[in-house]
Amino acid sequence: MRQTLNVNQLEYYVATVQHGSYAKAAQVLYLTPQAISKAVNDLEKELNVVLMTKAGRSVRPTAFGLTFCEKANRILYSLTELKLSAQDARVEKPLTSSISLAISISPHRGSAIHPEDFDEFKLRNPGISLITRCNSSGVCLNAVEEGVFDGAIILGPANKPDMNSIKVFGVEPVIVVDKSHRLASRESIVLSDLAEEYIALPNDFRYCLSIITDKLENAGFLPNYVELPPFTKGHEDFLGIHCGAMFAMDDNYVRGLYPNAKFIPLSKSATFEIPVYFVHRADNQNPLLSSLAYYISSLAR
């Protein structure tokens, strides 16, 4: 009997592309590598096209597989938005209520979302008190686990059975170098261009460090990381004096920090997505969680 393409196949395939192997995708999705591999194989058979190729212990998308992944991701986003919209419609909102949100922010590398992004939410819901605080991804997650905050926006899923993780959108990192850097004239960068460069150690140890390291190792080299001091001058000196390179989110705030820097996107073949998740404890009964999650998903850039 002919199989029918389903949402799980898309989700498993996108996770495999993002994490570079069936095993790592399985860890994120709480499944076995065999289940992920079978789903991807079934998807290839259904479409009659090759989506993945082996690269040592890892797997990589074909040219079509990369395009397919991007389109599948958009479909998954739309489905998530539909689910959240339905949940929001079922919630009978109280006239006055409150909800607290921890936002993961990197003050020197950019952020996927900022507190001011919630100004519209506050205008739409004048009877709701939204309390926001910013910190690192790990601290935000711990605050939710301990019940200090209702929810958090973090990079990557919580990967804990007592936590609900909702993927709301994804962001593509860019490479930041000084305008005098040898790569500054490039319109885009492939990861192998960074093989001989000093690279700022990703400061999100919980998620970004592993995903960026995996991508660089899959490009054929071990990254030459440099740990930077947690202040702007240290980052400026690393870029300008030491001619280093840095992964960052491309937002106006970070561009303002480094006026002498060039923000260069990764090439289409090298680019990857860092997923942004809204997480909350599974036992949290705040009725505004679904409304907030729906609003966050609408902020996708």
Side-chain angles (χ1 to χ4, degrees):
M1 180 181 295
R2 184 178 176 83
Q3 292 183 328
T4 303
L5 185 148
N6 60 63
V7 174
N8 286 343
Q9 288 175 319
L10 296 181
E11 183 180 3
Y12 299 171
Y13 176 69
V14 169
T16 300
V17 173
Q18 290 175 345
H19 295 280
S21 75
Y22 297 127
K24 290 176 181 175
Q27 290 176 356
V28 171
L29 297 170
Y30 294 102
L31 295 169
T32 65
Q34 292 78 11
I36 300 292
S37 175
K38 182 179 185 304
V40 173
N41 289 336
D42 289 345
L43 181 60
E44 290 180 318
K45 291 177 183 177
E46 171 64 19
L47 299 174
N48 194 28
V49 67
V50 177
L51 297 173
M52 304 292 290
T53 58
K54 291 185 177 180
R57 295 182 179 180
S58 303
V59 288
R60 295 179 182 174
T62 61
F64 174 77
L66 188 62
T67 300
F68 183 83
C69 179
E70 294 171 352
K71 294 181 177 179
N73 223 353
R74 289 197 291 269
I75 291 172
L76 292 173
Y77 284 169
S78 296
L79 289 173
T80 298
E81 193 170 359
L82 284 173
K83 291 178 182 178
L84 292 173
S85 179
Q87 293 173 8
D88 188 47
R90 293 197 302 268
V91 173
E92 183 178 347
K93 300 181 184 67
L95 292 177
T96 303
S97 189
S98 65
I99 188 167
S100 55
L101 178 69
I103 304 174
S104 171
I105 279 186
S106 173
H108 303 106
R109 313 288 176 90
S111 302
I113 199 167
H114 297 271
E116 55 267 28
D117 291 325
F118 293 91
D119 291 346
E120 181 65 24
F121 179 85
K122 294 175 182 178
L123 287 173
R124 294 180 191 175
N125 303 277
I128 296 174
S129 173
L130 174 62
I131 303 166
T132 58
R133 294 289 185 275
C134 301
N135 216 308
S136 68
S137 195
V139 171
C140 289
L141 180 57
N142 289 339
V144 173
E145 288 182 287
E146 294 171 6
V148 178
F149 280 82
D150 291 306
I153 299 171
I154 62 174
L155 304 178
N159 287 340
K160 297 187 178 183
D162 58 341
M163 299 286 289
N164 289 341
S165 297
I166 303 169
K167 184 180 178 182
V168 285
F169 57 86
V171 290
E172 295 177 355
V174 298
I175 304 300
V176 183
V177 295
D178 190 80
K179 290 178 181 178
S180 63
H181 196 282
R182 69 178 186 87
L183 297 175
S185 61
R186 301 284 186 87
E187 293 298 320
S188 64
I189 288 178
V190 296
L191 293 176
S192 58
D193 290 333
L194 302 174
E196 304 299 324
E197 304 295 332
Y198 290 115
I199 302 172
L201 179 71
N203 54 9
D204 184 277
F205 291 170
R206 195 193 67 83
Y207 185 81
C208 288
L209 176 59
S210 62
I211 193 171
I212 289 174
T213 301
D214 285 345
K215 294 296 181 182
L216 295 176
E217 289 181 352
N218 287 338
F221 66 95
L222 294 176
N224 189 6
Y225 284 138
V226 176
E227 187 171 3
L228 304 187
F231 49 85
T232 303
K233 185 64 166 57
H235 285 65
E236 287 180 322
D237 289 348
F238 174 72
L239 295 173
I241 298 175
H242 302 292
C243 296
M246 180 171 73
F247 284 89
M249 306 296 182
D250 189 359
D251 68 31
N252 290 332
Y253 174 78
V254 173
R255 282 181 175 269
L257 290 179
Y258 312 116
N260 294 320
K262 180 80 178 290
F263 289 67
I264 310 173
L266 292 168
S267 68
K268 187 174 181 180
S269 63
T271 192
F272 59 94
E273 179 190 87
I274 295 178
V276 179
Y277 280 78
F278 176 62
V279 301
H280 63 85
R281 280 174 44 162
D283 61 358
N284 190 317
Q285 299 299 311
N286 192 319
L288 298 173
L289 284 169
S290 60
S291 297
L292 190 57
Y294 177 63
Y295 177 81
I296 295 168
S297 69
S298 73
L299 297 175
R301 295 187 174 93

